[in-house]
Amino acid sequence: MNHIWKQIWTRGSTQTAILHGHSCCCVQRLVTDSASHFSRMISCSDIQLKKQIPKQRQRLKQDKAVSILQDPGVPVIGKLTREDLLEMLATSVVYQENPLIGINKPAGLPITGNGKEPSFTSLLPELQQRLHLSKELHIVKASNRDHSGLVLLSTCHQTTKYIENAFIQAGRRKEALTSYCAVTVGIPEPAEGEISVALTKQNIGEHELVVPVFHPTPGNIKRKEAKKAVTRYKVLDAANGCALVQLQPLTTFESVLQVHLTVKLSAVLGDHVYSSRLGKVLGIPFCLPVELAIPRIQVLDESLLRKLHFDQKQMWKMPLHLHLHKFSIPPFETKKLETLIVAAPPAYFLRTLDLLGLTVSEFPEANVKKRRK
């Protein structure tokens, strides 16, 4: 994987020079900024959980002149043995109450695989044994390969079916049951609102990418040539041209969060696919035509690289700072309470916040809260 990113970075550098010389006159910032009735929006304190990251910040070295690659380090899934992965997952359980289990997955571990590399699914039988479970585990909801964060497992198919239906119904009511946190390069404006832009897939060069559709016709939607997509967001803190952002997708679509953020002239730190759609002229960000924005290693300003103690040649190692940190599960079966399952961001994510001067409230003491409907 690393040598592939190096090749992309080399090609991307050439393309960047070309794109910066291109005269782009159309900058579209079409969004629906409706911060009103931002129901169930989570406060800053919900993002951090003391119980799950005991003294993680204290473990970081006092010497700040090193990158996250050195302190605290970024796990490279491809270098871990199967035994290492099983141990990592077994010790990353953040919720366990029959029949549900919540695990804080590391970034880079695919949910399903091609048989040539370990995947979360392929590890389930052995994970079941590690957790001393008598029934088979299956996946209910999960963050994707490049995201860190929650994977919800179950040993009961009836419960799984109920939860899946609850998520569908919540989507129809525009109620968010899933919440992410992200570090962004660029600060979304206004600080809180909704991004309502349809999406579709398009072949661009050798890549199949998700692209925004700003003015879909009813026929486009009916023929499934585009899908309506909505993301709620809230800037929790901002500094040095970057932000800590809470994201709540109301629609399921591949890469919806990364693509919607580019519409807001922001990109997730470590996004080496869609960040190339943003350019700058005299320090002012703008959107490049998607046909010209071939995926490449993310390019950062020198000032930002210095704050992160990174060199542009190292950026291919920068992980995606997008973390699935919360599931809200409506009451089911005999449960009369809504269950909130949360997972703290990885240590390198927290270190990045420190380096960028981004702060949030301390974590609540409990990693699972329940409240009456």
Side-chain angles (χ1 to χ4, degrees), residues 3 9 36 65 82 84 99 101 107 137 160 180 183 188 195 213 238 310 315 322 329 337 358 362 368:
H3 73 278
W9 184 82
S36 62
R82 193 177 186 88
D84 291 335
I101 295 176
L137 282 170
T160 298
Y180 292 75
V183 176
I195 306 170
V213 182
F310 256 76
M315 275 298 294
L322 183 57
I329 303 175
L337 304 174
L358 297 169
E362 290 300 322
V368 177

Side-chain angles (χ1 to χ4, degrees), residues 220-291:
N220 293 146
I221 302 298
K222 185 176 181 179
R223 292 189 296 270
K224 297 184 179 180
E225 297 169 348
K227 181 179 179 179
K228 293 181 180 180
V230 179
T231 298
R232 286 179 182 158
Y233 74 93
K234 183 178 182 180
V235 176
L236 302 177
D237 194 24
N240 299 300
C242 296
L244 174 62
V245 183
Q246 177 183 297
L247 299 161
Q248 294 182 311
L250 300 182
T251 314
T252 301
F253 202 97
E254 180 183 333
S255 303
V256 58
L257 300 179
Q258 296 98 303
V259 176
H260 271 179
L261 278 171
T262 63
V263 174
K264 277 292 189 179
L265 301 180
S266 302
V268 179
L269 180 63
D271 182 353
H272 305 303
V273 178
Y274 296 102
S275 63
S276 59
R277 294 181 179 177
L278 301 180
K280 282 187 178 181
V281 173
L282 300 177
I284 306 300
F286 66 93
C287 288
L288 289 160
V290 294
E291 295 80 7

Side-chain angles (χ1 to χ4, degrees), residues 175-218:
E175 180 182 354
L177 300 184
T178 303
S179 184
Y180 292 75
C181 54
V183 176
T184 64
V185 180
I187 304 171
E189 295 181 359
E192 185 175 333
E194 286 188 357
I195 306 170
S196 182
V197 176
L199 302 173
T200 190
K201 288 187 177 182
Q202 180 178 327
N203 290 320
I204 300 176
E206 300 175 352
H207 310 275
E208 184 183 55
L209 301 173
V210 178
V211 299
V213 182
F214 291 103
H215 303 289
T217 65

Side-chain angles (χ1 to χ4, degrees), residues 113-373:
N114 53 16
K116 297 180 180 179
E117 59 181 353
S119 66
F120 204 105
T121 302
S122 69
L123 295 170
L124 284 180
E126 293 158 274
L127 183 60
Q128 176 191 336
Q129 295 179 2
R130 288 287 182 105
L131 299 178
H132 308 290
L133 301 173
S134 58
K135 296 182 180 180
E136 289 187 1
L137 282 170
H138 59 269
I139 295 172
V140 184
K141 293 286 180 181
S143 54
N144 74 16
R145 177 181 187 137
D146 295 325
H147 303 172
S148 58
L150 282 168
V151 175
L152 182 62
L153 305 174
S154 175
T155 57
C156 175
H157 287 280
Q158 183 177 350
T159 299
T160 298
K161 188 173 182 179
Y162 172 84
I163 292 175
E164 289 174 342
N165 184 63
F167 272 77
I168 293 172
Q169 296 302 320
R172 292 172 179 170
R173 297 190 303 269
K174 292 189 175 182
E175 180 182 354
L177 300 184
T178 303
S179 184
Y180 292 75
C181 54
V183 176
T184 64
V185 180
I187 304 171
E189 295 181 359
E192 185 175 333
E194 286 188 357
I195 306 170
S196 182
V197 176
L199 302 173
T200 190
K201 288 187 177 182
Q202 180 178 327
N203 290 320
I204 300 176
E206 300 175 352
H207 310 275
E208 184 183 55
L209 301 173
V210 178
V211 299
V213 182
F214 291 103
H215 303 289
T217 65
N220 293 146
I221 302 298
K222 185 176 181 179
R223 292 189 296 270
K224 297 184 179 180
E225 297 169 348
K227 181 179 179 179
K228 293 181 180 180
V230 179
T231 298
R232 286 179 182 158
Y233 74 93
K234 183 178 182 180
V235 176
L236 302 177
D237 194 24
N240 299 300
C242 296
L244 174 62
V245 183
Q246 177 183 297
L247 299 161
Q248 294 182 311
L250 300 182
T251 314
T252 301
F253 202 97
E254 180 183 333
S255 303
V256 58
L257 300 179
Q258 296 98 303
V259 176
H260 271 179
L261 278 171
T262 63
V263 174
K264 277 292 189 179
L265 301 180
S266 302
V268 179
L269 180 63
D271 182 353
H272 305 303
V273 178
Y274 296 102
S275 63
S276 59
R277 294 181 179 177
L278 301 180
K280 282 187 178 181
V281 173
L282 300 177
I284 306 300
F286 66 93
C287 288
L288 289 160
V290 294
E291 295 80 7
L292 300 178
I294 304 300
R296 58 169 168 77
I297 298 301
Q298 188 174 35
V299 178
L300 301 182
D301 292 340
E302 283 296 327
S303 59
L304 185 52
L305 287 170
R306 285 195 295 272
K307 288 187 178 297
L308 295 171
H309 305 297
F310 256 76
D311 184 277
Q312 185 60 49
K313 293 181 180 179
Q314 297 176 306
M315 275 298 294
W316 62 278
K317 296 181 181 180
M318 177 67 76
L320 186 72
H321 283 58
L322 183 57
H323 178 78
L324 200 174
H325 78 91
K326 175 178 176 180
F327 283 133
S328 303
I329 303 175
F332 62 95
E333 296 174 350
T334 59
K335 293 183 179 292
K336 297 181 180 180
L337 304 174
E338 178 187 52
T339 301
L340 306 184
I341 304 176
V342 286
Y348 64 78
F349 190 111
L350 299 175
R351 176 71 196 288
T352 295
L353 296 182
D354 287 337
L355 292 173
L356 294 176
L358 297 169
T359 59
V360 289
S361 301
E362 290 300 322
F363 291 148
E365 293 296 335
N367 68 337
V368 177
K369 294 181 178 180
K370 297 181 180 179
R371 64 171 179 265
R372 293 193 178 275
K373 290 294 282 183

